[in-house]
Amino acid sequence: MDGKLDGVETPQPMSSLQSWGLRSSAVGAIAIGPAVTDTKHRGGSYSLKALYAKAALIVLLVVLTSVLGGCVATPSTPSWSSLLVVKGILYTGSQAGRVYALNAASGTEIWRYPPSEKGGVGALYAAPVLLGDTLYIGSSDNHLYALDANTGSQRWVFTSSGHIFADAVIADGVLYFGSGDHKVYALDASTGLKKWEFATADGIWSQPCVVGDRVYVASLDHRLYCLDADSGRKQWEFKAGGAFAGSPAVAGDLVYCGAFDNKVYALDAKDGHVHWEFKTGHWVWASPLVVDDTVYVGSLDKKLYALDAVAGTKRWDFQAQGMIRATPALANGLLYVGTEVGSLHVLDAVNGQQKWVFNTNGAVLSSPVVAEGIVYVTVLGDTIYALDAETGVQRWSVAPSKRK
Amino acid sequence: MTQFWNTVIFQPMLNLLLLLYSWLAHNFGLSIIVFTVLVRVITLPITWQQMRSAKASQDLQPKLLELQKKYKNDREKLAQEQMKLYKEAGVNPYGCLVPMLIQFPIWIGMYQSIINVLPNNPLQLLNLARHIYHQFSGLVPLNASFLGLNLGRSAPILAILVAATMWVQQKMMAAPTADPQQQAMSQSMELMMPLMFGWITWNLASGLGLYFVVSNIVGIIQQYFISGWGSLATVFSRQGLTLKSPSSRTREPQPESSKGDKKRSGRPKDKGDGRKK
C-alpha cells in the first residue's frame, strides 16, 4: 500500500470539519484542502469516501454561497409602487417594471405596459403623472417613459444616466424630474426633448416642486436648490445637516422640506434663509403636506406631526404603529397615514385623534390617494386596496402584477 | 432571534463603520480598511489559536501514522493512544472548530454592515434607517468613491484581487499530501474557492471586495508567521524561484535549492505547538 494504511478506522484528528479538509480562511470563508497527510485505502472504500467528500464539499459551497447571498441580499421586493387616480382610472407601476391602468371602481385591468409578452421595464417607485392623454413615469432602468394614457402604448422615452425613483412634475408643458445621476431635467412634455439640466452633487430621489418661475429641488447631497424654471440657473441653495430624500412643498413665502438630520425646515422661498426648523426623532423622508396654516409631516420616528406653518411649533403628534415614509393624504378633514408595518391610520386633521385603522398585508410606503369617496393604498408587493374613505370598509383589493 | 442578531452584532458593526467614516475624513474605502483590520486584530487571539492548533495537528501526522500502523487491528487502543498523543502534545483535536464558530457571526456581520451601509435604492435606504444610530443620521448617503472606484458598484479589478489573494492564502494554508486523488481534489478546491469569491465580488458592491482583499492580506500575513509560505513555496520553486521565509516550519517537500535555503535560515523555535520530539 506504499505507506498507506488499510482497514483501520481512526478517530479523526482535529475537528470533524478539518477531517474533511476544512480550515477557516481570512475572509471568513472555508479553505478546502487535505488537512492530513494520510489517507485510508481499502479497496472501494476510498472511492466511496471520496464521493462523500466531494458531495459534502459541494453542499458546503452551496450553503456558503447561500449564506453570503443572504447576507448581501437586498430586500426581495425591489420597489414600492405609487398611485395616480384620474377620472375613474387608477394608474400604478409595479416592482416588476410594468405600468397598469385599472378601473378605479372595480380594480379590473384596462391596459398594461409593456404588454404581457414582453418583460417589464425597471422597478417602478414613482407615481405616474398625467398631462392630457399622456402618462409619464420614471423607472429604475434610468428611463422616463411617456405613454398613451388610453392604450398604454409608448410615445417616447428619455434616457438619463441614473435610476429614476421620484415622481415627475409638469408645469406649463414642461416635465421636471430628478435622477440618480445627480441631475434634475426639464423636458418638453410633448416631445421629450431636453430643455435644460442641472447637476447636484448626489442623487435626486424626490419630486421637484414648481411654483411660478421657480423649481425647488431637494438632493441627497444635503442641499435644497432653487432654480429658475426657464433656464435651470441656480437662484439659491440651502445646506442641511443631512440628505434630502423627500420632496419640498411650497406654501406662501415658505418652502418646507424634511431632511435626514431629523429636521423639518421652513425656508424663505426668496433666498433660502431658515425661517424655522423642527426636530423629530428620526429621518424626515416624507414631503410635508401644507394645508391652510398647518404642516403635516411624518417621520421615521413613527410619528405624524402637525406643526404651525408660520411658527413651526407643534400642535399635536400622533404615534403610529410603524415608520412613516410617505406623505399623508387629506380629504374631508381626515388624514390618511401609511406606515412601514402595513397600517393605514385615519386621523382627524384638527386634533390627530384616530378614527380608524386598517391593516394591510404589506408595508405602506407610498402616499394613499383619495378620490370619489374611496381611499386607495398600495403596499409593498404591489397589492392595491380600495377602502371606503369614511368607514374603512374594503371595496376591493387586487395585485395586478400577479395577474397574467 | 433576528432582533438579537441585529442588536448585538449587526447594528454595532454597521455603526462602527459609520463612526470610522466620520473620523476618517468621510473616506469610505479607508473606513473599510481600518474596520477590517480592527476586527481582524480583535479576533486575532482566536484566529491565532486556530492557526496554531491546525499547524500542531498537522505536525502530529507522522506520529499518528505510526500509531495507525502499530494498532491497525485494535481500534480502541488506537483511539486511546491518539488521544494520549494529542494530550501530550497539548493539542485539542477540536481546537479549530470552536474559534471558527465564534468568528463566523463576526464575518457575517461585517458582510451585512458593508452591504447595507451603501444603499442603491430607496428600499435599501429604508432598511438602513432601521439600523443606524441617530448620531450618524447626517452621514447618509456615504461618499462611495475610493481610488477611482465607486464602492457601491462592482469593480472587476477588485474581483481579480480577491481571487488572487485568496488563492495565495489557500496555497499557504494547504498541507501537503502524498495521495494523488486527495491532492487533485485539494488543488481543484484551492482554485474553486478563489474563483467563487471572485465571482461573488464581481457581482456585488466593490466595498465588499475591498473588505475581502484587506482581510485576505491580513490573513496572509498571519499565516506567514504561523507556517511560512506553505505550498506556495513549492509553486514558486517549480518556476525556479525561491521564497525566502520561515518556510522551514512547513513540512512541504522542497527541492534541493529550497532545502539549502532552509538550512541557512534555520528553523525558528516553535514554542506554541507543543511538539515533543
Side-chain angles (χ1 to χ4, degrees):
Chain A
M1 282 291 207
D2 293 332
K4 297 186 181 78
L5 290 176
D6 62 340
V8 179
E9 292 294 333
T10 62
Q12 294 298 305
M14 304 154 63
S15 70
S16 56
L17 281 174
Q18 281 200 305
S19 72
W20 288 109
L22 308 181
R23 301 176 301 280
S24 72
S25 83
V27 296
I30 306 296
I32 299 174
V36 291
T37 55
D38 61 319
T39 310
K40 296 184 288 296
H41 273 236
R42 188 169 55 186
S45 69
Y46 179 83
S47 302
L48 198 60
K49 270 191 174 295
L51 189 68
Y52 287 154
K54 283 179 182 174
L57 289 171
I58 288 166
V59 169
L60 181 83
L61 286 177
V62 170
V63 169
L64 191 63
T65 309
S66 303
V67 168
L68 287 175
C71 291
V72 300
T74 55
S76 56
T77 44
S79 76
W80 59 71
S81 51
S82 303
L83 302 171
L84 171 72
V85 181
V86 179
K87 293 180 182 173
I89 299 178
L90 183 153
Y91 302 95
T92 186
S94 76
Q95 60 189 22
R98 230 176 267 283
V99 184
Y100 296 90
L102 309 177
N103 183 316
S106 62
T108 53
E109 185 175 319
I110 300 170
W111 56 256
R112 64 173 62 186
Y113 170 85
S116 295
E117 59 271 21
K118 293 183 179 175
V121 297
L124 297 164
Y125 282 87
V129 290
L130 188 71
L131 178 65
D133 63 349
T134 305
L135 192 76
Y136 305 88
I137 188 165
S139 164
S140 58
D141 68 0
N142 302 2
H143 296 105
L144 185 128
Y145 296 88
L147 310 175
D148 185 319
N150 297 315
T151 64
S153 59
Q154 182 182 304
R155 289 192 165 156
W156 53 259
V157 176
F158 178 84
T159 305
S160 76
S161 303
H163 306 306
I164 303 171
F165 295 129
D167 311 352
V169 64
I170 298 173
D172 296 328
V174 180
L175 186 76
Y176 303 89
F177 67 96
S179 168
D181 64 7
H182 305 186
K183 292 176 183 171
V184 57
Y185 294 91
L187 310 182
D188 184 312
S190 58
T191 62
L193 293 174
K194 186 170 71 180
K195 285 188 70 178
W196 54 259
E197 65 181 40
F198 176 81
T200 70
D202 211 323
I204 300 170
W205 288 8
S206 60
Q207 181 188 38
C209 177
V210 185
V211 178
D213 60 351
R214 299 282 178 97
V215 182
Y216 301 91
V217 181
S219 169
L220 293 176
D221 69 3
H222 298 202
R223 290 176 173 84
L224 192 148
Y225 298 88
C226 174
L227 310 176
D228 181 84
D230 284 333
S231 63
R233 200 173 299 121
K234 185 173 75 178
Q235 305 297 302
W236 53 259
E237 69 176 49
F238 166 76
K239 188 176 183 192
F244 285 107
S247 307
V250 178
D253 296 329
L254 295 177
V255 182
Y256 302 90
C257 201
F260 281 9
D261 59 2
N262 306 350
K263 291 178 182 172
V264 183
Y265 291 94
L267 309 175
D268 192 315
K270 289 177 188 164
D271 52 22
H273 281 106
V274 178
H275 191 69
W276 56 257
E277 60 183 50
F278 178 84
K279 182 137 189 173
T280 73
H282 206 322
W283 294 351
V284 182
W285 196 333
S287 176
L289 172 69
V290 189
V291 180
D292 298 329
D293 61 347
T294 306
V295 178
Y296 301 98
V297 63
S299 166
L300 297 192
D301 68 3
K302 306 182 182 179
K303 284 184 179 173
L304 182 85
Y305 296 89
L307 309 176
D308 184 289
V310 178
T313 51
K314 185 172 77 176
R315 289 185 172 158
W316 53 260
D317 63 37
F318 171 77
Q319 180 75 50
Q321 291 174 8
M323 296 194 290
I324 301 170
R325 197 226 60 90
T327 307
L330 179 73
N332 299 322
L334 294 177
L335 282 165
Y336 300 85
V337 187
T339 72
E340 49 97 28
V341 295
S343 53
L344 177 73
H345 300 271
V346 181
L347 315 176
D348 186 320
V350 175
N351 54 25
Q353 292 295 310
Q354 181 169 288
K355 296 284 187 182
W356 49 267
V357 61
F358 181 87
N359 289 306
T360 68
N361 67 352
V364 182
L365 299 171
S366 58
S367 298
V369 173
V370 185
E372 307 288 331
I374 297 177
V375 56
Y376 300 92
V377 187
T378 181
V379 305
L380 207 58
D382 292 341
T383 301
I384 301 166
Y385 293 86
L387 313 173
D388 185 287
E390 191 68 32
T391 63
V393 173
Q394 184 175 323
R395 298 277 182 89
W396 53 261
S397 73
V398 294
S401 60
K402 294 186 173 67
R403 289 176 179 161
K404 292 202 173 177
Chain B
M1 185 61 191
T2 306
Q3 183 66 34
F4 176 79
W5 169 265
N6 287 339
T7 307
V8 175
I9 303 281
F10 172 47
Q11 288 172 358
M13 295 186 90
L14 183 140
N15 287 282
L16 172 64
L17 194 55
L18 289 169
L19 178 69
L20 291 171
Y21 178 79
S22 68
W23 283 352
L24 299 169
H26 291 197
N27 186 320
F28 189 56
L30 209 54
S31 308
I32 290 178
I33 293 170
V34 173
F35 179 70
T36 308
V37 172
L38 200 62
V39 174
R40 295 291 306 215
V41 167
I42 290 168
T43 58
L44 186 62
I46 300 171
T47 316
W48 198 260
Q49 182 195 343
Q50 186 181 2
M51 287 176 164
R52 295 198 80 92
S53 183
K55 176 71 169 55
S57 294
Q58 285 174 12
D59 290 344
L60 285 180
Q61 291 310 310
K63 290 191 174 184
L64 286 168
L65 273 172
E66 285 174 19
L67 288 176
Q68 285 169 351
K69 279 180 186 173
K70 193 173 175 182
Y71 300 108
K72 62 182 177 183
N73 295 321
D74 187 349
R75 289 186 184 188
E76 198 175 324
K77 182 70 177 168
L78 175 62
Q80 284 174 357
E81 289 299 317
Q82 283 183 327
M83 290 314 292
K84 191 177 166 189
L85 182 64
Y86 286 133
K87 201 173 177 181
E88 285 173 359
V91 173
N92 180 356
Y94 304 101
C96 291
L97 184 61
V98 174
M100 199 162 70
L101 289 177
I102 292 171
Q103 289 174 80
F104 205 64
I106 297 170
W107 295 325
I108 300 291
M110 289 185 74
Y111 294 145
Q112 278 187 307
S113 302
I114 291 169
I115 291 299
N116 279 277
V117 86
L118 286 177
N120 281 319
N121 62 51
L123 263 183
Q124 291 176 348
L125 186 60
L126 188 67
N127 191 47
L128 177 61
R130 295 187 179 102
H131 304 296
I132 194 170
Y133 296 162
H134 289 178
Q135 54 266 44
F136 302 126
S137 292
L139 296 174
V140 176
L142 275 58
N143 173 15
S145 298
F146 181 65
L147 299 175
L149 299 173
N150 182 336
L151 296 174
R153 295 180 185 165
S154 65
I157 182 68
L158 276 175
I160 293 166
L161 283 174
V162 166
T165 51
M166 182 173 263
W167 178 81
V168 168
Q169 196 188 4
Q170 299 261 28
K171 276 289 171 192
M172 291 173 71
M173 292 170 77
T177 175
D179 181 67
Q181 273 185 291
Q182 206 169 43
Q183 193 176 24
M185 194 169 76
S186 167
Q187 283 175 348
S188 69
M189 286 305 159
E190 282 167 13
L191 195 62
M192 201 168 154
M193 289 296 288
L195 286 177
M196 190 182 80
F197 273 83
W199 178 80
I200 288 171
T201 308
W202 193 288
N203 289 287
L204 294 177
S206 53
L208 193 65
L210 182 62
Y211 156 64
F212 282 152
V213 170
V214 175
S215 192
N216 284 346
I217 291 171
V218 174
I220 287 168
I221 294 167
Q222 288 177 349
Q223 193 67 38
Y224 175 82
F225 285 105
I226 291 290
S227 61
W229 292 112
S231 297
L232 194 65
T234 314
V235 175
F236 277 84
S237 67
R238 282 196 205 115
Q239 307 300 320
L241 301 168
T242 304
L243 289 176
K244 292 182 179 178
S245 70
S247 58
S248 56
R249 301 172 83 174
T250 68
R251 289 178 293 104
E252 194 73 33
Q254 297 290 326
E256 284 306 307
S257 58
S258 300
K259 286 179 183 174
D261 285 338
K262 271 197 247 175
K263 282 173 189 172
R264 279 192 294 277
S265 62
R267 181 184 175 86
K269 195 174 179 183
D270 194 350
K271 290 176 181 176
D273 63 7
R275 277 180 70 180
K276 290 185 179 179
K277 296 278 182 184

